[in-house]
């Protein structure tokens, strides 16, 4: 009766799901222990978080607003991973999309019904332009996109900070470091939640359908899981890679567009709230599945909102960031452990 | 002429931070592990350094404690990626989030206060009297000599001139073959990744104890990521990594000079220079010298966990 541990190539979904749940719970327990050591009462905090988030429509509206950019950035990262590209520059593409959409809103005259779609396109193009150089460098010179996309985040952050405090600064002089309020905005449909939410869901469904039902989607999935096989089968790997990466950037740009057009209504430094980086976590939690992005983004939005509640209780943004990192860390471990099983023999 | 000496002096200081972190990453990547937690490790090192000198005004102790903290977090990262074989990219990102978050939480108490003690410059006799460049090159703090001369030469010798270095590189190139040859693959990975993390945290302490010298949230400002990129540019070689970091320091200090002398370029644009410079530095060489690709190639098993039973 000897037992041994066996590793299997991929975990069965139920085990993987359980491992995810356990990882998140364990991360929260660890964070609770640390908070308790710092003199907070973790149980009271937890209760406060649950009550504020789910106990009123305000809490749910906040979550509904936070989930919009998370769906887009999470989808952006997940799309890239379909072909094995690690786009960790969603943060920068978010800023580029917000920048381009703001430019259209501020400088193109016209009725809102016309300008909003134009801002939508501008947001997507902004994100696409921002990932263009990393995409071409990866496709033609095999330069690791992980690094190039990431470094461009810093450039985009500085660019937005510069225009919001310099050339595009609110001319009325009332605001310190933002542009003027945008003359066009995405209408709201439930409390403070705007139409970006249904649009985000539609984009997710479209992208999911693209991967699931088209020949292109099939080829991309094959290329992502086995580039060699894709090459031997005569699939244009490079072309697929370029299209997928540009799509990834465009989707992240939409996150920025909806943030300025629907939520913040101004362009300002720090507008992304780390949504680009959190998108990586959303994609990980979704296991790179476009549909999976929806529940993963919802979970992430609840965690984020909890973070905001925690801040009212005297816990800083950075502590929340550390807890988020902890969850990601435990998830990575849980994912690996889910692949092991104990067999007799 | 003073301005040139000033640029060189700042370049050496700014490049030193990156060089130390990049040397740590060279160690980790040569044994086959990508550590994307450098940014977080640097933040932890930076806050450890400042917290120590506030408690006891001894920068050497601050630097040493930062390395101990880095080593500890490196061991946690290495245990999960090497022994548990969890995804290296995810764990690295997680380490960065945790490190920056923890450092900012701890650092709030020290925010904005200048470091009460820093590494003093040491003038090397005679050499520092050389006109023009003597002061800039030979009146630096002790870490500069360690980072630019002692460490890279020692690591180069270790990696390319000893049997142990051959084993080390074998672990990163072909762990299965190394294992068959009796090299303890996982132990080798574990210790080098941890040591690399200690250097990264040391780089953070160098930042707050010699270069900036104060703590503020976001003081690391992407330097960890730049260090990771420099390793690629340097072809995973210690001496190249230090040279690349110095080149980088020059770009950074040009930005500083521009700000100080009121060049008609907005300061956020000047602040973009290091990031744009890095991107150019990792793209241009592969395009310009196709033949360099093989020479500069990453260790073959980089990023892949090693399973003895799955060959």
């Amino acid at each position: 009766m000897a037992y041994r541990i066996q590793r299997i190539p991929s975990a069965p979904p139920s085990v993987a799901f359980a491992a995810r749940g356990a990882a998140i719970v364990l991360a929260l327990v660890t964070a609770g222990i640390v908070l308790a050591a710092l003199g907070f009462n973790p149980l009271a905090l937890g209760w406060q978080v649950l009550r504020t988030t789910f106990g009123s429509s305000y809490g749910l509206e906040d979550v509904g607003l936070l989930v919009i950019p998370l769906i887009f950035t999470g989808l952006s990262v997940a799309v890239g991973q379909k072909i094995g590209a690690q786009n960790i520059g969603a943060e920068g593409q978010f800023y580029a999309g917000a920048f381009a959409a703001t430019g259209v809103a501020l400088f193109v005259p016209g009725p809102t019904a016309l300008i909003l779609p134009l801002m939508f396109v501008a947001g997507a193009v902004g994100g696409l332009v921002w990932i263009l150089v990393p995409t071409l460098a990866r496709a033609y010179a095999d330069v690791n996109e992980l690094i190039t996309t990431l470094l461009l985040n810093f450039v985009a952050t500085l660019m937005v900070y510069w225009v919001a405090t310099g050339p595009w600064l609110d001319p009325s002089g009332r605001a310190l470091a933002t542009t003027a309020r945008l003359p066009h905005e995405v209408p709201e449909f439930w409390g403070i939640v705007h139409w970006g939410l249904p649009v985000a869901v539609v984009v997710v469904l479209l992208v999911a359908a693209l991967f699931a039902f088209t020949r292109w989607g099939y080829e991309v999935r094959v290329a992502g899981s086995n580039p060699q096989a894709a090459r031997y089968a005569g699939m244009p790997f490079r072309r697929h890679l370029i299209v997928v990466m540009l799509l990834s950037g465009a989707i992240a740009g939409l996150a920025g567009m909806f943030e300025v057009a629907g939520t913040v209504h101004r362009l300002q430094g720090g507008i992304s709230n780390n949504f680009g980086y959190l998108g990586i976590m959303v994609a990980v939690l979704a296991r790179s599945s476009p549909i999976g992005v929806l529940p993963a983004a919802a979970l992430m939005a609840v965690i984020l909102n909890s973070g905001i509640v925690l801040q009212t209780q005297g816990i800083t943004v950075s502590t929340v960031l550390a807890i988020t990192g902890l969850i990601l860390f435990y998830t990575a471990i849980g994912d690996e452990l889910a692949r092991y099983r104990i067999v007799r023999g | 002429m003073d301005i040139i000496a000033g640029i060189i002096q700042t370049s050496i200081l700014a490049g030193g931070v990156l060089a130390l972190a990049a040397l740590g990453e060279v160690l980790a990547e040569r044994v086959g592990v990508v550590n994307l937690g450098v940014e977080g490790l640097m933040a932890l090192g930076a806050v450890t350094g400042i917290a120590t000198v506030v408690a006891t005004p001894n920068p050497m102790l601050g630097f040493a404690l930062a390395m101990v903290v880095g080593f500890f977090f490196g061991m946690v990262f290495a245990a999960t990626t090497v022994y548990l074989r969890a995804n290296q990219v995810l764990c690295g990102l997680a380490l960065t989030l945790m490190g920056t978050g923890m450092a900012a939480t701890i650092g709030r108490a020290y925010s904005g206060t200048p470091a009460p003690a820093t590494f003093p410059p040491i003038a090397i006799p005679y050499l520092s009297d050389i006109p023009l460049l003597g002061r800039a090159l030979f009146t630096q703090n002790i870490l500069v000599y360690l980072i630019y001369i002692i460490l890279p030469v020692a690591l180069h010798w270790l990696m390319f001139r000893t049997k142990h270095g051959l084993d080390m590189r074998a672990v990163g190139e072909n762990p299965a073959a190394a294992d068959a040859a009796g090299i303890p693959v996982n132990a080798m990975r574990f210790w080098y990744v941890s040591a690399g993390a200690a250097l990264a945290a040391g780089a953070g302490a160098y930042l707050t104890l010699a270069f900036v010298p104060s703590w503020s949230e976001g003081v690391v400002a992407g330097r960890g990521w730049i260090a990771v990129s420099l390793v690629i540019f340097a072809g995973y070689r210690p001496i190249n990594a230090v040279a690349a970091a110095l080149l980088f320091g020059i770009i950074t200090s040009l930005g500083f000079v521009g700000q100080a002398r009121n060049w008609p370029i907005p300061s956020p644009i000047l602040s973009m220079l290091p990031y744009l410079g890095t991107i150019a530095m990792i793209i241009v060489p592969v395009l310009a010298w196709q033949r360099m690709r093989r020479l500069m190639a990453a260790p073959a098993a980089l990023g892949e966990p090693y399973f003895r039973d799955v060959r």
Side-chain angles (χ1 to χ4, degrees):
Chain A
M1 289 291 267
Y3 291 91
R4 64 191 179 84
I5 295 170
Q6 192 184 43
R7 184 176 193 274
I8 45 183
S10 70
S14 58
V15 178
F17 192 74
R20 281 294 167 77
I24 292 170
V25 170
L26 277 177
L28 291 178
V29 168
T30 313
I33 293 170
V34 174
L35 289 176
L38 292 173
F40 293 97
N41 178 348
L43 289 179
L45 284 176
W47 173 241
Q48 176 83 12
V49 162
L50 287 178
R51 214 187 42 173
T52 321
T53 308
F54 298 107
S56 68
S57 64
Y58 295 111
L60 289 174
E61 282 174 33
D62 284 340
V63 172
L65 201 60
L66 285 171
V67 81
I68 302 167
L70 290 170
I71 292 176
F72 281 116
T73 55
L75 182 65
S76 160
V77 179
V79 162
Q81 285 172 349
K82 280 280 178 212
I83 201 159
Q86 293 286 346
N87 172 19
I88 52 176
E91 181 87 357
Q93 294 135 26
F94 179 111
Y95 275 111
F99 170 81
T102 304
V104 168
L106 290 178
F107 302 109
V108 180
T112 299
L114 202 75
I115 297 299
L116 272 184
L118 203 60
M119 286 171 72
F120 184 88
V121 173
V125 171
L128 186 148
V129 166
W130 214 250
I131 204 175
L132 194 61
V133 168
T135 302
L136 297 178
R138 162 76 198 268
Y140 292 99
D142 217 12
V143 171
N144 190 341
E145 74 287 353
L146 197 84
I147 303 293
T148 46
T149 52
L150 184 119
L151 287 170
L152 281 172
N153 290 346
F154 299 100
V155 179
T157 312
L158 287 164
M159 177 182 75
V160 165
Y161 172 78
W162 170 56
V163 294
T165 54
W168 292 3
L169 184 65
D170 185 359
S172 75
R174 259 172 288 158
L176 271 177
T178 92
T179 63
R181 192 182 165 93
L182 302 189
H184 312 282
E185 55 189 69
V186 180
E188 281 125 11
F189 70 97
W190 174 52
I192 52 170
V193 185
H194 56 80
W195 280 94
L197 184 58
V199 173
V201 174
V202 169
V203 171
V204 166
L205 296 179
L206 281 177
V207 169
L210 206 60
F211 280 113
F213 302 125
T214 66
R215 183 199 161 99
W216 175 84
Y218 171 74
E219 290 196 0
V220 166
R221 280 184 289 137
V222 171
S225 55
N226 192 341
Q228 292 294 343
R231 277 197 193 95
Y232 288 134
M235 295 174 186
F237 180 80
R238 182 177 284 167
R239 203 176 73 204
H240 287 331
L241 178 76
I242 293 174
V243 172
V244 168
M245 282 182 75
L246 295 181
L247 179 66
S248 168
I251 293 171
L254 288 180
M257 176 268 167
F258 277 108
E259 197 66 6
V260 284
T263 307
V264 183
H265 305 300
R266 299 165 178 281
L267 184 65
Q268 59 197 34
I271 191 177
S272 95
N273 269 326
N274 289 327
F275 285 128
Y277 297 111
L278 295 169
I280 302 165
M281 274 197 66
V282 171
V284 168
L285 291 172
R287 309 177 114 221
S288 315
S289 141
I291 294 284
V293 162
L294 293 176
L299 175 68
M300 198 65 226
V302 170
I303 294 175
L304 258 193
N305 193 54
S306 311
I308 296 168
V309 177
L310 288 178
Q311 280 171 51
T312 63
Q313 305 295 311
I315 294 165
T316 57
V317 194
S318 11
T319 314
V320 177
L321 191 70
I323 296 173
T324 315
L326 203 63
I327 295 176
L328 183 59
F329 194 59
Y330 278 49
T331 308
I333 297 173
D335 274 6
E336 184 55 34
L337 291 184
R339 290 176 160 194
Y340 288 87
R341 61 179 182 191
I342 299 167
V343 289
R344 196 190 290 184
Chain B
M1 279 304 123
D2 263 3
I3 183 168
I4 291 174
I7 288 177
I8 293 171
Q9 178 117 21
T10 316
S11 307
I12 291 174
L13 274 173
V17 180
L18 297 165
L20 192 55
L23 286 174
E25 189 67 11
V26 166
L27 284 182
E29 298 207 1
R30 272 288 177 181
V31 291
V33 178
V34 185
N35 180 0
L36 295 184
V38 178
E39 178 84 4
L41 290 164
M42 282 179 77
L44 285 169
V47 82
T48 310
I50 208 92
T52 315
V53 291
V54 167
T56 59
N58 183 343
M60 223 39 189
L61 188 67
F63 186 74
L65 280 182
M67 287 187 58
V68 171
V69 169
F71 196 76
F72 172 76
F73 277 89
M75 290 204 305
V76 174
F77 173 80
T80 42
T81 52
V82 174
Y83 288 109
L84 289 178
R85 306 176 182 100
N87 185 310
Q88 293 175 9
V89 171
L90 293 187
C91 288
L93 292 173
L95 182 56
T96 286
L97 289 182
M98 277 192 290
T100 34
M102 282 172 62
T105 307
I106 301 165
R108 276 166 74 86
Y110 307 101
S111 198
T113 44
T118 54
F119 282 98
I122 299 168
I124 296 189
Y126 308 115
L127 288 176
S128 60
D129 297 333
I130 299 171
L132 213 66
L133 297 181
R135 268 190 63 80
L137 290 179
F138 301 106
T139 310
Q140 294 279 5
N141 67 67
I142 186 157
L143 288 183
V144 166
Y145 305 114
L146 179 76
I147 293 169
Y148 281 97
I149 300 163
I150 301 171
L151 255 181
V153 171
L155 288 180
H156 181 88
W157 178 79
L158 176 78
M159 283 166 59
F160 298 102
R161 295 280 180 276
T162 66
K163 165 78 171 63
H164 181 80
L166 192 64
D167 291 354
M168 185 185 164
R169 286 181 288 140
V171 167
E173 294 290 347
N174 191 341
D179 192 16
I183 302 166
V185 173
N186 285 345
M188 195 92 127
R189 287 188 166 181
F190 180 83
W191 292 113
Y192 276 112
V193 169
S194 306
L199 293 186
Y206 174 93
L207 184 68
T208 49
L209 294 178
F211 181 45
V212 178
S214 67
W215 165 268
S216 61
E217 205 179 318
V219 71
V220 182
R223 287 189 178 86
W225 296 107
I226 292 178
V228 174
S229 341
L230 289 182
V231 174
I232 301 172
F233 175 68
Y236 308 85
R237 285 166 170 74
I239 292 175
N240 292 5
V242 173
L246 182 60
L247 189 60
F248 215 81
I250 296 171
I251 301 176
T252 310
S253 80
L254 282 179
F256 283 155
V257 171
Q259 277 168 41
R261 317 205 93 207
N262 282 322
W263 285 357
I265 305 169
S267 73
I269 305 280
L270 288 172
S271 308
M272 288 176 192
L273 284 178
Y275 310 108
L276 292 174
T278 316
I279 294 170
M281 275 162 64
I282 57 177
I283 293 180
V284 172
V286 249
L287 290 179
W289 304 286
Q290 294 283 332
R291 267 192 300 163
M292 264 175 69
R293 275 200 208 177
R294 234 191 67 207
L295 204 66
M296 308 277 288
L302 187 61
E304 288 169 14
Y306 173 61
F307 299 92
R308 176 174 272 181
D309 43 356
V310 194
R311 292 228 179 118

